[in-house]
Amino acid sequence: MTRSPSRRRPAGLPDAIDLDAELARIAAMNIEELREMWREKRKHEPPAALTKDLMARALSHWLQEERLGGLETPLRRLLATVANPSYS
């Protein structure tokens, strides 16, 4: 399975360093900083039940998806059918 060039940038060292630095910054944030980042990135309030760890993980996931590209549509569909057989 290949990715289209428009979905993924070539993996260059400076980009990887920047991404690693941003992930480390997210991991070091306190819960209020994470909530603020959530509001900025997601444009709504974070769920009240999310712990600091889960919020950091979600924000890190979205950042990596934004930078590296998300799952391709056929793979997302396959995962959806495996997760919910009535989906297909």
Side-chain angles (χ1 to χ4, degrees), residues 17-76:
I17 292 170
D18 290 346
L19 180 57
D20 285 346
E22 288 188 59
L23 293 172
R25 186 175 67 84
I26 290 171
M29 288 179 168
N30 65 39
I31 196 158
E32 289 307 318
E33 292 168 324
L34 290 167
R35 286 182 178 138
E36 182 59 33
M37 184 178 192
W38 187 291
R39 289 181 199 105
E40 289 172 13
K41 299 287 184 186
R42 307 304 293 177
K43 307 296 185 215
H44 59 82
E45 289 295 316
L50 283 188
T51 64
K52 175 184 179 285
D53 180 61
L54 287 175
M55 218 177 308
R57 287 173 185 257
L59 289 165
S60 295
H61 170 80
W62 291 321
L63 175 65
Q64 291 174 78
E65 187 175 62
E66 178 183 290
R67 293 286 179 85
L68 304 174
L71 297 176
E72 294 176 348
T73 303
L75 182 54
R76 280 194 323 232

